[in-house]
Amino acid sequence: SPEWSCAALTKTGNVGLDPGIAFDGADNPWVHFWDNNNLNLARLGGTGTRCALASGWACTTIHDEADSVGEYGGIAFDATGTAWIAYWGRTAKRTYVAHYVGSASGNGCGPGESSDWACSTLDASPDVGAFWVGIAIRPAGTWGTGGPWVSYFDRQSGALKVAILKT
């Protein structure tokens, strides 16, 4: 299309499923995606392993485990520049949240993960988060110091839910 400039980032297996994009404070795009098994990230100007088809981009696996994770996610940045990703795990049928901590100081998110990330289970109730997960960062003010809010669908109860990070 003459209106758009398109670039391929990587192509290994089923990459690029359920993607989301947000820009950090330096205007660099971060693209999360599911590869039919793991939650991954492509980051323009990032450090680490280069993406297969775009040398200016770094690609990393955030959450890698036997549980197929990374579907139906969203990404947002908080006021300090921290990236937050909410997503669903197919096998465990749970909703997870990963946040970027950098400098290999994270607890990791599975056996093949990047330790630049810390992950936690948002909701371990059966069958939550499938098909619909959203994340936004609330500004500081009435609701406290600011932080991530996650909306998701509880398939078992048929309810829309919102989770707020306790600060």
Side-chain angles (χ1 to χ4, degrees), residues 31-156:
V31 179
H32 74 84
F33 60 94
W34 179 57
D35 67 3
N36 215 23
N37 196 42
N38 304 312
L39 175 65
N40 299 281
L41 180 82
R43 183 173 69 166
L44 182 62
T47 59
T49 304
R50 299 287 99 193
C51 296
L53 301 175
S55 63
W57 291 72
C59 283
T60 190
T61 298
I62 296 172
H63 196 155
D64 172 15
E65 61 177 70
D67 180 12
S68 179
V69 292
E71 289 183 84
Y72 313 122
I75 183 171
F77 287 89
D78 67 19
T80 67
T82 299
W84 293 82
I85 303 174
Y87 56 99
W88 185 64
R90 175 181 294 271
T91 305
K93 297 182 179 176
R94 294 180 176 174
T95 304
Y96 299 95
V97 175
H99 69 279
Y100 185 74
V101 293
S103 302
S105 59
N107 63 356
C109 307
E113 80 294 336
S114 167
S115 59
D116 287 347
W117 292 82
C119 296
S120 61
T121 300
L122 176 90
D123 191 334
S125 303
D127 217 3
V128 295
F131 311 118
W132 303 280
V133 178
I135 189 166
I137 305 299
R138 73 178 185 271
T142 304
W143 292 95
T145 58
W149 286 46
V150 178
S151 61
Y152 59 101
F153 179 65
D154 182 334
R155 205 168 155 185
Q156 186 173 21

